[in-house]
Amino acid sequence: MDDRRLRYFLAVVEDGSVTGAARRLHLAQPSLSQALRALESELGVELFHRVGRGLRLSAAGEALIGPARQVLRAID
């Protein structure tokens, strides 16, 4: 797991959408979506429930927020 994927995950959480987070991160939306799917695959859990065109955090996603912030603070 790399810090880039954690930053992407938190950006989506904070923005509430992949499109908005991609815009803020200056990324193409498909690239951000692919990175999120790779993180989910690496962790073996679904971090978001895909509902129509939107996202809703799963229980695993909720549980990752605090540790992701801690890791990124330690790196920064």
Side-chain angles (χ1 to χ4, degrees):
M1 176 184 327
D2 63 33
D3 64 310
R4 176 183 56 92
R5 288 185 184 154
L6 290 177
R7 290 180 198 284
Y8 291 176
F9 166 74
L10 289 175
V12 172
V13 168
E14 292 163 4
D15 193 84
S17 76
V18 174
T19 303
R23 191 176 307 119
R24 182 165 53 112
L25 294 166
H26 306 287
L27 293 171
Q29 182 272 331
S31 297
L32 180 54
S33 293
Q34 183 179 8
L36 290 175
R37 283 191 298 274
L39 179 60
E40 289 177 321
S41 177
E42 185 177 345
L43 295 175
V45 295
E46 188 176 74
L47 298 172
F48 297 96
H49 297 294
R50 275 87 176 161
V51 181
R53 296 191 67 153
L55 295 176
R56 202 183 63 199
L57 270 173
S58 68
E62 287 281 350
L64 182 59
I65 293 171
R69 287 181 175 148
Q70 287 178 326
V71 166
L72 293 177
R73 272 195 302 270
I75 290 171
D76 291 342

